[in-house]
Structure formats: C-alpha cells, structure tokens
Amino acid sequence: IFRQTVAGQADQEAVVPLSGSSTTTSTLLWDETNFITAIAIVNLGSGATTISITARDTNGQTIGTSTIQLGPRNKTETTLRSLPSLAGIVGRRGSAEFSVPSGALALLGIRFNGAAFTSMPTVDR
C-alpha cells in the first residue's frame, strides 16, 4: 500500500499489484488527458539491462520510444511523460510496452489527479 500525504488534505492510499518474477514484457494503459502517469521499474535480473519503452495511442500508432538503463536489482521512478521522446503522450490516452532483452522486470503504474492517486494494473508476459 502506498500513501500520499499532502499538507492540508486527507491522506490518500493506493493498493499496488505485484508483477511476476519472470516478466520480460509489461504493458501499461495510461490516460494523460486529465491525469499524470508515474511509473516505477525494477530490474529483477542479476545483470545490467536496457528497458525499452514504446508508447502508442488508442489506435495503436507509435507516439514515441525511449530506453532506461538499470543495473542489476536496481529501480527507478519517474513520470511517463518526462522520459526522452515520450512528451507526446500529454493530452492523450494509450498504452506503453516495457520490455527487457533478458532477465526480468517489475513495473508499477500510478495515476495522479491532484491530491488523488490510484495504482494502474499492468499486463505481464
């Protein structure tokens, strides 16, 4: 469970689903029309890896691609829109596919709307 505390507002909590330990590809549906999508990614592998990200609109057309370098058993977190070449998702809806060439990854999506936030399920393969 994640909790967000903002001064002067009630705390908000979100329950987060876990990815499997052998996931090599994970797809996240996002909505950046009135929300901000944040992600947390973990490299579950024993070696450094490059995570490839492809963002698509609701028609399946590629909006942009990006990569994240992660060391073994390391994590990172950011907003989806702040990744290089993915600013084009703002104001749109779609999906983002995260994949690793070897090893495994775990992905978490969180959608923010002002003080409210919720977890976003992923489809893992």
Side-chain angles (χ1 to χ4, degrees):
I1 296 176
F2 280 82
R3 175 178 285 169
Q4 175 181 335
T5 302
V6 177
Q9 297 183 9
D11 286 356
Q12 297 290 319
E13 291 184 346
V15 176
V16 179
L18 298 175
S19 294
S21 62
S22 61
T23 298
T24 58
T25 302
S26 188
T27 302
L28 172 75
L29 298 179
W30 49 264
D31 179 350
E32 288 270 330
T33 57
N34 294 308
F35 307 98
I36 296 174
T37 304
I39 57 167
I41 306 169
V42 179
N43 172 7
L44 299 174
S46 58
T49 194
T50 300
I51 299 169
S52 300
I53 303 129
T54 301
R56 295 183 177 88
D57 64 18
T58 55
N59 296 317
Q61 299 299 311
T62 299
I63 296 171
T65 61
S66 192
T67 59
I68 296 173
Q69 306 293 320
L70 275 179
R73 312 234 191 279
N74 279 318
K75 66 166 183 71
T76 190
E77 60 284 322
T78 188
T79 57
L80 190 58
R81 63 174 63 181
S82 68
L83 291 171
S85 303
L86 297 187
I89 70 168
V90 176
R92 302 164 92 172
R93 292 182 180 104
S95 63
E97 184 176 273
F98 297 75
S99 62
V100 292
S102 62
L105 65 87
L107 175 67
L108 166 65
I110 300 178
R111 180 177 73 174
F112 288 88
N113 182 11
F117 74 106
T118 187
S119 64
M120 302 168 66
T122 59
V123 177
D124 297 335
R125 300 184 294 292

